[in-house]
Amino acid sequence: MTLPTRFNFAEHLFALNRGRADRTAYIDDRGTLSYGQLEDRARRLAAALKAAGIRREERVLLLMLDGNDWPVSFLGCLYAGVVPVAVNTLLTPDDYAYMLDHSRAQAVLVSGALLPTLQQAMARGGHEVQALIVSQPAGTLPEGAQEFEAALAAAPPLASPAQTASDDPGFWLYSSGSTGKPKGTVHTHANLWWTAELYGKPVLGLTENDVCFSAAKMYFAYGLGNALTFPLSVGATVVLMAERPTPDATFRRWVEHKPTVFFGAPTGFAGMLASPKLPAREAVALRMCSSAGEALPGELAQRFKAHFGCEIIDGIGSTEMLHIFISNRPGDVRYGTTGRPVEGYEVELRGEDGRPVPDGEVGDLYIRGPSSALMYWNNREKSRETFQGGWTKSGDKYTRDADGYYTYAGRSDDMLKVSGIYVSPFEVEATLMQHPAVLEAAVIGKEDAEGLTKTKAFVVLKDGAAVTEEELKAFVKERLAPYKYPRFLEFVSELPKTATGKIQRFRLREREKQA
């Protein structure tokens, strides 16, 4: 598969779907958006950005809740050849002040509900922009700002797309960053196309008859593929939700809009299965679910399938690789594993000496594939650590079995060495979650009285469930090697997580140091 030198991903999608102008592309809480309307509005936004003086390759901060204006904004930027910087909507004014300054964004596209936070950020950072376009403003606009609909109505659609190259910077995503400042990850126009061709079509098998719904928001690499790149590449319909993906909010969309493919994360699936409002199998139309963000416990996937008759295909992707590069496949799900490499990607597990490790041994995960980011903006040191020649170092540890299936062993900085042997926190967590009383668990290392590292588990119980520390310890002892069971165990009401639902074990380690 090859791309022409000149390639604009927005124009690519519009051309694919011009025969579906009346077909529904998006459904949000306010209404529907057809494929014809999507193209028209995106090209109008492109014209508005050009009229505001935003030039090719300049950055535009995209701080918007999931809704029909989000894909219009993202694709409008690509069409104009400007670079959307899609950012998490749950951050603080200080975070946005940093991102505005770091990206040197010349314009901001913002949801009205998020405008007060943005204004605080702009005041703190002192960063000035040429254009501020507000979707669904809640009150009076600040001086110089323009309402989204007024911006679209002010000029006819841009006649032709920017003549971008396939390897031109297309958009940025900021890494969720478990430690330190988030990194501006620079992706190309071609990277979106590659993820659709290598994963969205062959692995997910999406067609125009599918209705897709992603709990992961569109500002995440995972959500961007699920709710834009993949469905629009085949002419499918997408359900968008601005609110948090709580079990109740998710169930309402399942029942009302009947999505056929749902994209979630392990934390979300666990919460839904624990909910007393879990819909009956007959009330939904799911044919397949996808999980990413953190490894999916096999026990969780089996319970979900028993209830809905629907497989969850677990996979691993990253902001740096844009989407999933190791995955289970429909009809070929090996519970407890992340599956096999997606065709078009190469995977290696390397030891501390940089050499490949044999099957069964834990190694650092490296990936080579065409959707890798160009770099971290203005961060040469981290770029060189992560992007090594054609390979990308993921920061995850994995094992591979003799059949070529990969099993998650934790983040590189989360691995524990107990009695001189590496222990995967995830293995212990997954075992704890097999207990019927346990909703979630996180495991870290803790020094005992002799200064030796042992495992400590933080456990969240299901509502109304009860179990003792000793019962849980004995439960793990029966299933894992003796040195792996948690010598320390603490019950907590919740676990610290990133906005993507990944457990922040470093926060638990910090808490232990302060105790």
Side-chain angles (χ1 to χ4, degrees):
M1 293 186 286
T2 57
L3 279 173
T5 301
R6 293 292 177 192
F7 180 76
N8 182 292
F9 186 72
E11 170 59 19
H12 165 71
L13 290 183
F14 297 154
L16 281 177
N17 292 300
R18 282 181 183 135
R20 301 185 180 95
D22 295 330
R23 188 176 181 86
T24 300
Y26 284 99
I27 305 169
D28 70 4
D29 295 335
R30 299 169 65 216
T32 63
L33 189 69
S34 70
Y35 273 98
Q37 291 170 322
L38 174 64
E39 177 177 356
D40 178 74
R41 288 170 67 81
R43 289 171 60 185
R44 286 179 181 276
L45 180 71
L49 292 171
K50 290 199 73 170
I54 311 303
R55 298 173 297 181
R56 280 276 301 272
E57 298 186 12
E58 289 184 331
R59 270 75 65 194
V60 174
L61 199 77
L62 177 51
L63 174 58
M64 299 180 75
L65 301 171
D66 276 21
N68 292 346
D69 289 346
W70 204 105
V72 167
S73 299
F74 185 83
L75 294 173
C77 287
L78 294 184
Y79 194 84
V82 301
V83 179
V85 179
V87 298
N88 190 329
T89 58
L90 302 174
L91 302 180
T92 67
D94 285 341
D95 292 321
Y96 298 130
Y98 168 77
M99 291 172 175
L100 283 165
D101 182 62
H102 181 250
S103 67
R104 298 194 283 277
Q106 295 301 301
V108 180
L109 297 160
V110 62
S111 292
L114 301 172
L115 180 59
T117 305
L118 174 70
Q119 289 177 289
Q120 292 180 53
M122 295 175 73
R124 291 182 192 185
H127 182 87
E128 295 184 3
V129 297
Q130 293 176 244
L132 174 60
I133 300 176
V134 185
S135 170
Q136 302 177 51
T140 305
L141 291 177
E143 185 178 352
Q146 192 173 19
E147 196 268 330
F148 197 84
E149 295 300 327
L152 298 192
L158 193 64
S160 58
Q163 294 299 300
T164 49
S166 58
D167 287 339
D168 273 354
F171 62 101
W172 292 18
L173 299 171
Y174 273 97
S175 64
S176 55
S178 58
T179 59
K181 291 287 188 184
K183 299 180 288 292
T185 311
V186 182
H187 278 286
T188 68
H189 280 260
N191 288 357
L192 294 158
W193 184 85
W194 281 113
T195 60
E197 296 302 314
L198 296 179
Y199 180 78
K201 294 178 182 179
V203 176
L204 296 177
L206 295 181
T207 73
E208 67 177 358
N209 297 318
D210 276 309
V211 178
C212 298
F213 176 36
S214 176
K217 301 301 184 183
M218 297 176 80
Y219 53 76
F220 296 129
Y222 182 47
L224 180 62
N226 304 338
L228 190 147
T229 312
F230 304 157
L232 298 194
S233 292
V234 298
T237 297
V238 183
V239 176
L240 295 178
M241 178 172 70
E243 64 184 298
R244 287 179 57 249
T246 62
D248 286 357
T250 301
F251 297 157
R252 285 199 299 274
R253 275 76 180 182
W254 282 5
V255 173
E256 180 179 354
H257 298 300
K258 294 291 193 292
T260 57
V261 183
F262 175 72
F263 303 87
T267 298
F269 286 115
M272 287 187 285
L273 286 173
S275 171
K277 297 181 181 179
L278 188 70
R281 180 187 296 197
E282 302 76 32
V284 305
L286 298 172
R287 70 169 182 85
M288 181 178 65
C289 292
S290 165
S291 178
E294 194 155 55
L296 178 72
E299 181 269 342
L300 197 64
Q302 289 171 319
R303 284 197 289 126
F304 190 92
K305 185 177 180 182
H307 183 86
F308 287 109
C310 169
E311 289 180 325
I312 304 176
I313 58 167
D314 188 23
I316 181 175
S318 67
T319 304
E320 291 77 11
M321 295 302 296
L322 190 53
H323 216 276
I324 288 172
F325 47 81
I326 300 176
S327 183
N328 284 278
R329 273 77 164 169
D332 180 21
V333 175
R334 191 168 293 193
Y335 291 120
T337 79
T338 311
R340 295 175 288 111
V342 171
E343 188 173 349
Y345 293 92
E346 296 177 66
V347 172
E348 281 190 3
L349 299 182
R350 301 178 187 174
E352 293 179 1
D353 60 1
R355 297 178 180 178
V357 300
D359 287 349
E361 288 192 15
V362 174
D364 289 305
L365 179 65
Y366 287 75
I367 316 99
R368 180 160 61 187
S371 63
S372 177
L374 292 173
M375 61 179 165
Y376 298 129
W377 180 261
N378 199 21
N379 195 334
R380 187 175 185 183
E381 179 183 359
K382 290 293 184 183
S383 293
R384 293 177 73 173
E385 285 179 14
T386 300
F387 306 108
Q388 302 181 12
W391 293 90
T392 299
K393 184 178 182 180
S394 76
D396 296 290
K397 286 188 179 286
Y398 265 80
T399 60
R400 183 184 61 208
D401 65 20
D403 295 327
Y405 289 80
Y406 287 74
T407 299
Y408 183 66
R411 291 288 296 173
S412 298
D413 52 3
D414 287 332
M415 290 294 288
L416 309 175
K417 214 165 194 179
V418 179
S419 302
I421 306 171
Y422 274 116
V423 174
S424 162
F426 179 75
E427 183 183 21
V428 184
E429 292 162 5
T431 304
L432 282 164
M433 287 179 63
Q434 292 174 23
H435 193 284
V438 175
L439 177 64
E440 293 181 305
V443 170
I444 64 169
K446 175 182 172 68
E447 288 190 355
D448 63 14
E450 285 74 40
L452 300 174
T453 298
K454 305 298 182 186
T455 51
K456 174 170 181 176
F458 295 83
V459 175
V460 180
L461 296 180
K462 296 176 182 175
D463 287 344
V467 65
T468 68
E469 290 184 26
E470 293 309 314
E471 285 172 336
L472 280 183
K473 289 178 180 179
F475 182 83
V476 176
K477 274 187 189 179
E478 292 171 1
R479 291 161 175 78
L480 296 180
Y483 65 89
K484 295 182 179 181
Y485 88 91
R487 307 299 173 88
F488 309 97
L489 195 146
E490 181 179 342
F491 294 108
V492 295
S493 59
E494 62 180 356
L495 299 174
K497 295 171 187 170
T498 68
T500 55
K502 296 179 183 178
I503 296 170
Q504 293 176 310
R505 295 176 187 84
F506 79 96
R507 295 201 182 279
L508 296 173
R509 289 193 290 267
E510 290 173 353
R511 172 178 159 179
E512 283 299 302
K513 288 178 183 178
Q514 295 168 2

